[in-house]
Amino acid sequence: MFKRFAGAGCTAKDPIFVFGLHRSGSTLVEQILASHPLIEGTAELPVMNTIAARLRRSSGQTIGEAIAALEPSEIAAIGEEYMERTRPFRQTGKPYFVDKMPGNWINATLIRLALPNAKMVDARRYPMACGFSNFKQNYATGVTFSYSLRSIGEFYYDYWRFMRHFDGVQPGAVHRLLNEKLIEDPDGEVRRLLAYIGVPFDDACLEFHANKRAVRTPSAEQVRRPINRDGVDAWRPYEPWLGELKEALGPALEGWES
């Protein structure tokens, strides 16, 4: 599929997609990037989800089948539509912007084809920590996978398996940022992240907690503080009751970093 659509997408370089499971550190990554003078933080933009849903609905097919049936010109039009529909969310003239919709990992194929110059950052966290954090979070709406330990583990496994496959067919297209490594070595991980984006290092990215921009996720309070280890092992006292989560994760429990 990627060979067939090679060179067909919209050439815009503006978008930086930050995705992964909820409670994986994606808000922290967004805040770090949005503290760079060349990058604007926006919000969790639903645009790519809306486009993908329309493709499924209009074709009556799975998203993979629907994408495969498109013409190269239609792929380019999707990229251009995304750029047009996200423009109202941009309030500055900065050349890059962050779209931090966690579930956009499901749209990685469509993003890669329609916006081949866009950057994708996979924010990932140890599955037991991530799963427990989702289970104890009462979301205002959506995030339906989070209402049982088993469904959280199964969802994490599906995400992990899909990203492994995507990395295999498009190596280097996605930058993986492990939350635990970011906590242990913020300077090194931020430098690697910015190098992937293609912007120079800026000290403001390490002082992200001083950024006064509005943050509208459950992590809003956390990103107002410097990086810390407060939530790393919060799941451990509850481990005896997390058996369903551990079982559902399967091989993702040990192989989560890859």
Side-chain angles (χ1 to χ4, degrees):
M1 183 187 299
F2 289 101
K3 289 183 178 179
R4 178 177 170 231
F5 291 112
C10 172
T11 60
K13 299 179 180 180
D14 311 34
I16 303 169
F17 293 89
V18 176
F19 51 61
L21 262 66
H22 292 71
R23 312 301 296 160
S24 65
S26 58
T27 301
L28 173 59
V29 175
E30 176 196 32
Q31 189 77 342
I32 289 169
L33 290 173
S35 299
H36 194 283
L38 297 178
I39 303 173
E40 179 178 2
T42 56
E44 295 181 356
L45 305 182
V47 177
M48 196 58 77
N49 279 339
T50 300
I51 293 172
R54 186 186 68 217
L55 287 175
R56 292 193 301 270
R57 185 171 59 252
S58 63
S59 67
Q61 300 172 308
T62 67
I63 186 60
E65 293 168 338
I67 293 172
L70 294 174
E71 295 298 324
S73 60
E74 293 176 296
I75 283 288
I78 288 172
E80 291 162 1
E81 177 186 353
Y82 173 86
M83 294 303 300
E84 182 63 29
R85 293 180 65 173
T86 54
R87 189 164 288 113
F89 296 95
R90 302 177 67 178
Q91 305 299 315
T92 72
K94 296 180 180 181
Y96 301 97
F97 72 98
V98 181
D99 178 343
K100 195 204 77 71
M101 176 60 77
N104 265 331
W105 63 268
I106 297 174
N107 299 320
T109 300
L110 186 58
I111 292 169
R112 182 64 170 164
L113 293 172
L115 293 156
N117 294 320
K119 301 297 184 180
M120 292 184 280
V121 180
D122 176 10
R124 190 171 298 187
R125 184 181 180 189
Y126 180 59
M128 293 299 291
C130 184
F132 174 71
S133 187
N134 271 286
F135 189 62
K136 70 185 183 70
Q137 178 66 47
N138 183 21
Y139 293 101
T141 185
V143 200
T144 54
F145 72 85
S146 69
Y147 296 108
S148 81
L149 291 171
R150 181 165 298 279
S151 63
I152 292 170
E154 290 172 347
F155 195 79
Y156 192 109
Y157 171 74
D158 287 342
Y159 147 75
W160 171 78
R161 184 178 60 169
F162 175 80
M163 292 311 304
R164 278 171 61 92
H165 170 73
F166 191 85
D167 288 343
V169 296
Q170 289 288 287
V174 177
H175 178 80
R176 182 168 301 115
L177 182 53
L178 304 182
N179 184 254
E180 289 73 9
K181 287 189 176 181
L182 179 60
I183 291 171
E184 294 299 327
D185 180 21
D187 184 87
E189 290 301 317
V190 169
R191 287 181 184 274
R192 282 186 280 274
L193 172 64
L194 297 179
Y196 164 76
I197 301 297
V199 296
F201 175 77
D202 193 284
D203 286 327
C205 295
L206 295 176
E207 300 295 326
F208 61 88
H209 48 278
N211 192 328
K212 300 301 183 183
R213 62 180 289 269
V215 177
R216 299 179 179 87
T217 76
S219 300
E221 182 179 348
Q222 292 166 296
V223 298
R224 301 300 184 202
R225 298 183 291 151
I227 287 178
N228 60 78
R229 295 183 52 84
D230 288 357
V232 172
D233 294 320
W235 65 277
R236 290 192 181 278
Y238 304 91
E239 186 173 7
W241 297 276
L242 300 178
E244 284 192 354
L245 170 62
K246 188 177 294 187
E247 180 183 350
L249 286 166
L253 182 59
E254 299 298 328
W256 71 281
E257 295 185 46
S258 63

